Structures are given as structure tokens and as C-alpha cells.
Amino acid sequence: MDYDGPQRVSGCRSALDLALPDLKIAVEYDGWYWHMDAADRDDKKTAQLHAAGWSVIRIRETSRGRELPAVQGILVLAEFNEDANILASRVITLIAGLRQNAA
């Protein structure tokens, strides 16, 4: 799979960090700094995607044990220094589960 950066999809006003259009799965990485006061904005984006038939996985970065406010979507908590391979494996497992449930 090639990654060309954030992608726009029908039904959502802002670009997605990662979109899997064939599966209608969106993955958003919510970094602590940019999302500590953005729960309303994140919920609106997730609601737009849900209304368009998408599943949304939100990777929510924690900072020194502090979690970002809860939002809609399938939440994955990740420490800011978590090994990227381990985090990717957790997200891939979630995507595989969503694919099975959709089949």
C-alpha cells in the first residue's frame, strides 16, 4: 500500500490521516498537543464519517499517563513514545476484526 498523505473522502469536510475506501475505514492519529482541546471537533468529524457509512479508528496519544478527552469512534490509546510497530500491529488487528464483522 502506498501512502500519499492525508486523504479527502465524500461525506467529510476535512482530510483523513488514513483512509481505506474499499473498507470504509478511517484511521485518525490524535496527537496530544493538537487534540487536547479538540474533542468537539474530533466528534464532529467522526459523526460526519459515521453518517457516510465509515468506521473510525482514533489513535489517541497519551502524555505522561494523561489521556485526551473521550470521543466517538473506536479508541486506541498510545503513549507518545510507543513503538510504532507495536501500535501499527494493534491497529491492523482492529482493521482485520472490522473486516470480519462486515463480511
Side-chain angles (χ1 to χ4, degrees):
M1 176 197 310
D2 293 325
Y3 180 71
D4 294 327
Q7 302 166 31
R8 295 203 174 271
V9 299
S10 178
C12 186
R13 293 182 191 170
S14 55
L16 304 176
D17 293 335
L18 176 64
L20 303 171
D22 293 343
L23 303 174
K24 287 200 127 180
I25 296 174
V27 179
E28 290 286 288
Y29 187 92
D30 300 337
W32 176 264
Y33 180 81
W34 296 109
H35 291 265
M36 64 182 153
D37 295 320
D40 288 342
R41 183 186 70 208
D42 293 341
D43 274 338
K44 286 177 186 173
K45 186 174 188 177
T46 299
Q48 288 175 359
L49 289 162
H50 283 164
W54 287 70
S55 296
V56 181
I57 298 172
R58 285 199 163 275
I59 302 167
R60 304 284 283 175
E61 184 181 71
T62 62
S63 177
R64 298 183 185 111
R66 297 176 299 166
E67 295 180 11
L68 289 167
V71 293
Q72 298 177 49
I74 301 164
L75 304 183
V76 176
L77 298 181
E79 277 294 326
F80 76 97
N81 61 349
E82 182 171 348
D83 181 276
N85 291 320
I86 292 171
L87 179 57
S89 178
R90 292 196 294 139
V91 172
I92 290 167
T93 298
L94 276 173
I95 293 169
L98 290 172
R99 286 183 65 188
Q100 275 188 327
N101 291 340

